[in-house]
Amino acid sequence: DADVTQTPRNRITKTGKRIMLECSQTKGHDRMYWYRQDPGLGLRLIYYSFDVKDINKGEISDGYSVSRQAQAKFSLSLESAIPNQTALYFCATSDPGTSANEQFFGPGTRLTVL
Amino acid sequence: GEDVEQSLFLSVREGDSSVINCTYTDSSSTYLYWYKQEPGAGLQLLTYIFSNMDMKQDQRLTVLLNKKDKHLSLRIADTQTGDSAIYFCAIETYGGSQGNLIFGKGTKLSVKP
């Protein structure tokens, strides 16, 4: 079974709709991240959380919010989706105590906003 | 702020060596990374190098680090079609971000048979 899972894997929505992307992990890691990937722009950090009570903005947090419901769950919400939020979204986890502080990525959610 | 630059595309023939280059601006990273993204998948750590090393070899992979020039490279020997993927260079960022990663834009490696 995958250690980091994301739901849904694909989503098409309309401008103005509220969308929630969910991430779950079984790795027991405290740190979780949300990134978006756009062609030619690489990965950009949206939000990150170092434990259940910790939420931090990343490079591009405007238009997004997150909720860390438990150590294993980290959700990303788009309160009112707009077309330029069409992208591939990745959740990741890490444990600074592991070798080289490796980040482990989910399979991604492809979001299209019409 | 910190920046990581890498070329967007590289095309090689099967059996040749591939060299993917990366330059960065922040030199405080303890580790420097290469992540691989296969089509339709998330990123996976391919290899990394500790900042006090110049070179790391792992089977077909060789990582070279030139801290003076802030240059990191990944060499893949005997490149195979299965190596076709996007390769991301990444460094750690400290200060307020406490060890988050900054990724380059990714180099898409195409391997022709």
Side-chain angles (χ1 to χ4, degrees), chain B residues 6-7 9-10 18-22 34 46 62 64 71-76 83 85-89 106-109:
Chain B
Q6 51 183 129
S7 55
F9 301 99
L10 177 64
S18 307
V19 179
I20 302 172
N21 294 299
C22 170
W34 286 103
L46 183 64
T62 303
L64 296 178
H71 183 267
L72 183 72
S73 69
L74 173 69
R75 178 177 181 269
I76 305 173
D83 295 323
I86 302 176
Y87 292 81
F88 292 91
C89 172
T107 299
K108 184 173 184 178
L109 175 63

Side-chain angles (χ1 to χ4, degrees), chain A residues 86-101:
Chain A
T86 293
L88 190 52
Y89 290 84
F90 287 103
C91 174
T93 74
S94 73
D95 176 355
T98 61
S99 175
N101 197 18

Side-chain angles (χ1 to χ4, degrees), chain A residues 33 37 40 48 90 99-100 103, chain B residues 33 35 37 42-43 48 100 105:
Chain A
Y33 311 81
Q37 182 181 19
Y48 61 100
F90 287 103
S99 175
Q103 290 194 10
Chain B
Y33 306 86
Y35 278 80
Q37 183 183 28
L43 280 70
Y48 64 91
N100 289 335
K105 293 179 172 53

Side-chain angles (χ1 to χ4, degrees), chain A residues 9-87:
Chain A
R9 293 294 312 278
N10 288 282
R11 182 71 185 268
I12 300 174
T13 191
K14 294 182 179 179
T15 298
K17 294 292 188 182
R18 184 176 187 275
I19 294 297
M20 179 180 286
L21 309 183
E22 308 214 21
C23 176
S24 293
Q25 52 116 345
T26 58
K27 300 191 76 67
H29 290 169
D30 284 328
R31 297 186 175 189
M32 298 188 74
Y33 311 81
W34 275 105
Y35 294 91
R36 66 176 278 175
Q37 182 181 19
D38 299 274
L41 294 179
L43 268 73
R44 292 181 290 167
L45 184 63
I46 307 172
Y47 270 95
Y48 61 100
S49 168
F50 282 175
D51 64 43
V52 174
K53 297 179 181 178
D54 177 72
I55 299 289
N56 303 281
K57 292 182 178 180
E59 179 187 351
I60 53 162
S61 58
D62 286 350
Y64 301 95
S65 62
V66 290
S67 173
R68 184 79 185 268
Q69 303 96 320
Q71 187 202 41
K73 296 185 182 296
F74 193 34
S75 300
L76 176 72
S77 293
L78 287 69
E79 298 301 325
S80 179
I82 55 176
N84 76 2
Q85 291 177 314
T86 293

Side-chain angles (χ1 to χ4, degrees), chain A residues 100, chain B residues 22 24 26-35 45 47-53 63 65 67 70-72 89-92 101:
Chain B
C22 170
Y24 56 93
D26 184 355
S27 58
S28 63
S29 192
T30 301
Y31 296 99
L32 297 94
Y33 306 86
W34 286 103
Y35 278 80
L45 181 64
T47 187
Y48 64 91
I49 188 167
F50 193 57
S51 58
N52 69 354
M53 297 171 65
V63 179
L65 174 60
K67 290 189 71 174
K70 297 183 182 177
H71 183 267
L72 183 72
C89 172
I91 64 171
E92 295 172 305
L101 298 183

